[in-house]
Amino acid sequence: MKNILVVYWSGTGNTEKMANFIGQGISSGGANPIVESVSNVDANEIDKFEVIALGCPSMGNEVLEESEMEPFVESIAQKVNGKKVALFGSYGWGDGQWMRDWVDRMESYGADVIENGLTINNEPDKDGEEECITLGKELAKI
Ligand SMILES: Cc1cc2nc3c(=O)[nH]c(=O)nc-3n(C[C@H](O)[C@H](O)[C@H](O)COP(=O)(O)O)c2cc1C
């Protein structure tokens, strides 16, 4: 069974919920999800995975969370060339600029970014939950 790594940072739990729903979708799609907070993941681990998902809410002023997620993303810059990468995260009042910038950045590292990054306003509602599950199922099929 294919293992898919889902790494997230979440301050108030919204992106964590997205990560867990994506994990649920990966399972129902027939693959094995490994859902981990970024604080538990070493950059070298991602070498073992063909498909990864990274989650982070919009923080600061439309940027990634700066103490853990930002350095993690920087640390995998040389490791994602040709890898399938899904991006996701929750946001509050912005227009999603952090996600557009993040997609561009991962593409500049050579990653094959799946769709355009899944963004959900605040806590995922029932529709948001479904979107996350659907993304997980898509990842399982790759
Ligand atoms: C310090 C801080 C900065 C934030 N900056 C933004 C921002 O620039 N744009 C935005 O849309 N939301 C911003 N938010 C809102 C969060 O993205 C939103 O609350 C999100 O649901 C948090 O996800 P989490 O529960 O996974 O931490 C910010 C929240 C905090 C606490």
Side-chain angles (χ1 to χ4, degrees):
M1 193 186 278
K2 184 169 66 177
N3 293 323
I4 297 177
L5 180 66
V6 181
V7 182
Y8 67 90
W9 183 92
S10 184
T12 55
N14 297 331
T15 304
E16 181 176 16
K17 285 189 179 129
M18 293 179 72
N20 287 323
F21 289 133
I22 291 167
Q24 224 174 284
I26 291 171
S27 294
S28 31
N32 180 39
I34 297 164
V35 182
E36 290 282 3
S37 158
V38 67
S39 55
N40 298 328
V41 180
D42 182 277
N44 291 321
E45 276 186 59
I46 77 149
D47 293 341
K48 295 185 252 164
F49 300 87
E50 191 188 324
V51 182
I52 62 170
L54 304 175
C56 184
S58 179
M59 296 294 284
N61 185 10
E62 298 296 322
V63 292
L64 298 177
E65 184 276 327
E66 288 177 294
S67 72
E68 292 185 312
M69 200 67 191
E70 172 55 42
F72 180 78
V73 169
E74 193 60 38
S75 72
I76 63 172
Q78 310 295 322
K79 297 177 171 291
V80 292
N81 191 21
K83 215 178 270 295
K84 310 262 187 227
V85 179
L87 302 178
F88 63 96
S90 172
Y91 67 98
W93 50 84
D95 70 351
Q97 188 61 46
W98 105 105
M99 184 56 79
R100 291 191 289 277
D101 292 344
W102 196 11
V103 169
D104 288 349
R105 179 174 173 186
M106 298 312 291
E107 285 178 345
S108 79
Y109 296 158
D112 181 0
V113 179
I114 294 150
E115 295 176 7
N116 285 318
L118 174 58
T119 60
I120 286 183
N121 191 224
N122 296 314
E123 187 178 355
D125 60 10
K126 202 68 201 159
D127 287 347
E129 176 179 330
E130 275 311 313
E131 285 182 77
C132 293
I133 291 173
T134 301
L135 174 61
K137 286 182 183 162
E138 280 172 28
L139 299 183
K141 279 197 227 112
I142 292 171

